[in-house]
């Protein structure tokens, strides 16, 4: 298999891992409807969900997944990996993806979708971060948008949700 030549079916499979992480987080007031999955080859390396409400504003789903993957692989260099995120990475997360040398990010909801849901997002899309920063990270999205937006809708119905 060539470097990161994933089929649409594979992208769907791994994005649904991220969606399961986001859905697990709907029952906790720990950080919202965000999930991530990091894959290398055909192996899931790490999963993450948002946990900022544990008093760590950097604990986004992507950051948690990157931390877990780096620990598991015993390296800061995650070359050859793809990260799936239920929502377009914010500038902090995109920067971490870039610095971790992750090859590709596949995202669902857009930053604008998160902002419409009430989250305090910076309006800098991943493709703009890539362009402005001269990053080599491949950006694919929105992907499985309706499924990712459904998680936002489910979260919005919860009583213990906290918008931050």
């Amino acid at each position: 298999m060539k470097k990161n030549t994933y089929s649409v079916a594979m992208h769907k499979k791994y994005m649904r891992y991220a969606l399961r992480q986001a859905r697990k987080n709907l029952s906790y007031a720990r950080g919202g409807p965000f999930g991530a999955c990091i894959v290398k080859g055909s192996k899931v390396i790490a999963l993450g969900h948002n946990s900022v409400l544990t008093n760590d504003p950097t604990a986004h789903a992507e950051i948690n997944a990157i931390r877990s993957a780096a620990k598991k692989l015993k390296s800061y260099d995650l070359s050859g990996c793809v990260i799936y995120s239920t929502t377009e990475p914010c500038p902090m997360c995109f920067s971490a993806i870039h610095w971790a040398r992750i090859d590709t990010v596949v995202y669902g909801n857009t930053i604008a979708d998160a902002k419409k849901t009430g989250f305090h997002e910076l309006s800098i899309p991943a493709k703009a971060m890539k362009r402005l920063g001269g990053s080599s990270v491949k950006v694919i999205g929105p992907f499985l948008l309706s499924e990712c937006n459904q998680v936002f809708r489910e979260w919005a119905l919860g009583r213990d949700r906290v918008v931050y």
Side-chain angles (χ1 to χ4, degrees), residues 11 14-22 33-39 46 48-50 60-63 65-66 82-90 93-94 97 102 104-111 126 140-145 147-149 152:
H11 283 322
Y14 297 124
M15 179 61 87
R16 288 183 176 132
Y17 275 87
L19 281 160
R20 280 194 288 280
Q21 286 297 300
F34 305 99
C37 173
I38 296 178
V39 177
H49 61 270
N50 193 301
H60 291 195
E62 299 93 334
I63 299 294
I66 289 167
V82 176
I83 187 167
Y84 295 85
S85 177
T86 57
T87 302
E88 184 174 13
C90 71
C93 291
F94 186 86
I97 290 164
I102 293 174
T104 305
V105 58
V106 180
Y107 70 85
N109 295 315
T110 66
I111 288 174
I140 300 172
F143 187 79
L144 292 186
L145 182 59
E147 290 181 45
C148 292
N149 274 326
F152 272 179

Side-chain angles (χ1 to χ4, degrees), residues 62-74:
E62 299 93 334
I63 299 294
N64 288 336
I66 289 167
R67 288 173 178 157
S68 179
K71 185 175 184 177
K72 184 172 185 176
L73 296 176
K74 296 179 171 65

Side-chain angles (χ1 to χ4, degrees), residues 4-67:
N4 289 332
T5 49
Y6 291 78
S7 67
V8 170
M10 288 177 76
H11 283 322
K12 285 180 179 180
K13 174 184 175 178
Y14 297 124
M15 179 61 87
R16 288 183 176 132
Y17 275 87
L19 281 160
R20 280 194 288 280
Q21 286 297 300
R23 278 201 168 86
K24 280 183 186 179
N25 218 34
L26 293 178
S27 60
Y28 305 107
R30 294 190 303 169
F34 305 99
C37 173
I38 296 178
V39 177
K40 187 167 189 173
S42 60
K43 185 175 180 186
V44 173
I45 302 299
L47 299 168
H49 61 270
N50 193 301
S51 58
V52 300
L53 297 178
T54 59
N55 299 322
D56 181 354
T58 68
H60 291 195
E62 299 93 334
I63 299 294
N64 288 336
I66 289 167
R67 288 173 178 157

